[in-house]
Amino acid sequence: MTEQTLINPTEYYENDEYLSNSALSNFVEFDIYGNPTYNLSQFLNPTRPSSSAIVIWQLCDKILTEGFILDSEYGPTLDKAGMQEQLDFMGVEYKKTDTNPVLRNLLAKNGYVFKKELGKDERTAIETIIDRANNFQYDMKTSFREFISECDCQKICVSEEWGMKGKFDFLNRSRWLISDLKTTGNMERTMKELTYKWQPNIYHKYVRQLAIYQQLYYLESGERFDVELIFIDYKGKHRIVKIWQRALDKAMEQIDRDIEMLKKMYSGDLPFTPVLDIDEATVDAIDSGKIQVQEVVTEEAKDSGPDYLTTF
């Protein structure tokens, strides 16, 4: 059993004493054969996701789980024409040659309250995702909104003995189920990454995340809940993907190995930077001049579509 030590989202994100799935994902990557590559430098200095992805993920979470009203804090991005329109509405005189700072100052002086700005693309994505969430059936008898009402939302779970933490979007005790919401700008690509030959890809960060969540709740409660991913994309499509136990168990085996490797590198038992060398077979291949010794790398086609895939 574990003690609840992090009681709110702010404390959860600021705490670095416990390891999270997103932090572990910064430490390890896998090739197509499932071989891990560890990077302690990336773990200590993680690359942050794009601001658009973060905004969409955070606001959708708040709207669906906390009853947050988007327009209470966020307004449109005000360009020059937008500020002029607002001044016209307020009956405030201005010059057409006034610069943006002058226009903003006029608005502020006349009582206009500036809200956090939200870009058109981000707002459209959020509104589409929320509209879909409000209007699809979770199962034959339950709407998704009704399902949410059954759940403890944003459940924080911490394991002292394991040193891991997690924050579940939806914990449904009546269904023995942990659900995590994912928003994405490209459902097809996400599904291809999540599966391999119609089976769960146990190296995918989302599958690993669910394995960690299931184990965290088991350590806290002694109960092993089923787990699933709920995807909604910016086009208004949704998909619910349940991951079963064999895949979770195999994912957990690799997670345990990764955590042990992290501990060894963090403690200095292994070098901070991995050292690469060639073996005898590669020496022979190089000397022969007839065996492939380099990977054939081709430039991938660029995806021009927007991608609001969240990875938290």
Side-chain angles (χ1 to χ4, degrees), residues 61-167:
D61 253 14
K62 288 183 68 175
I63 292 167
L64 290 173
T65 65
E66 301 174 20
F68 177 73
I69 299 174
L70 186 63
D71 290 333
S72 65
E73 291 186 18
Y74 287 84
T77 300
L78 287 178
D79 56 12
K80 186 172 185 176
M83 287 188 284
Q84 290 173 338
E85 183 179 350
Q86 184 62 41
L87 287 166
D88 288 335
F89 177 77
M90 296 169 67
V92 178
E93 294 185 0
Y94 62 90
K95 298 177 182 178
K96 288 188 177 181
T97 56
D98 285 342
T99 61
N100 285 4
V102 172
L103 294 173
R104 289 183 70 89
N105 190 45
L106 282 172
L107 284 169
K109 283 184 175 180
N110 285 275
Y112 181 81
V113 178
F114 286 92
K115 296 181 179 180
K116 298 176 184 177
E117 294 187 351
L118 189 63
K120 182 179 179 181
D121 289 344
E122 287 81 3
R123 177 176 284 272
T124 298
I126 291 168
E127 290 177 346
T128 302
I129 289 165
I130 299 304
D131 180 70
R132 187 56 175 170
N134 290 335
N135 293 285
F136 80 80
Q137 287 292 119
Y138 175 79
D139 59 26
M140 292 298 293
K141 297 181 179 180
T142 315
S143 70
F144 183 48
R145 274 296 190 180
E146 290 170 334
F147 171 80
I148 293 175
S149 70
E150 300 173 2
C151 300
D152 291 339
C153 298
Q154 301 300 325
K155 159 69 175 173
I156 294 174
C157 199
V158 178
S159 171
E160 295 277 358
E161 59 183 291
W162 196 23
M164 294 289 293
K165 64 178 181 179
K167 184 163 71 70

Side-chain angles (χ1 to χ4, degrees), residues 121-233:
D121 289 344
E122 287 81 3
R123 177 176 284 272
T124 298
I126 291 168
E127 290 177 346
T128 302
I129 289 165
I130 299 304
D131 180 70
R132 187 56 175 170
N134 290 335
N135 293 285
F136 80 80
Q137 287 292 119
Y138 175 79
D139 59 26
M140 292 298 293
K141 297 181 179 180
T142 315
S143 70
F144 183 48
R145 274 296 190 180
E146 290 170 334
F147 171 80
I148 293 175
S149 70
E150 300 173 2
C151 300
D152 291 339
C153 298
Q154 301 300 325
K155 159 69 175 173
I156 294 174
C157 199
V158 178
S159 171
E160 295 277 358
E161 59 183 291
W162 196 23
M164 294 289 293
K165 64 178 181 179
K167 184 163 71 70
F168 318 155
D169 286 331
F170 309 114
L171 177 69
N172 194 315
R173 290 185 172 88
S174 63
R175 297 176 187 252
W176 283 57
L177 182 64
I178 297 168
S179 306
D180 203 64
L181 176 68
K182 301 296 182 187
T183 59
T184 175
N186 192 323
M187 183 75 79
E188 182 179 357
R189 189 176 74 187
T190 302
M191 290 301 107
K192 286 181 179 179
E193 293 173 347
L194 187 68
T195 61
Y196 179 67
K197 294 186 176 180
W198 305 102
Q199 298 180 64
N201 173 9
I202 68 164
Y203 303 102
H204 194 281
K205 55 196 169 189
Y206 291 167
V207 177
R208 288 161 60 89
Q209 181 180 25
L210 290 182
I212 290 170
Y213 284 4
Q214 184 190 64
Q215 183 66 9
L216 278 169
Y217 191 66
Y218 175 75
L219 292 172
E220 177 177 285
S221 67
E223 299 171 335
R224 193 170 296 280
F225 279 18
D226 291 336
V227 293
E228 68 182 10
L229 296 162
I230 301 172
F231 292 97
I232 307 178
D233 73 9

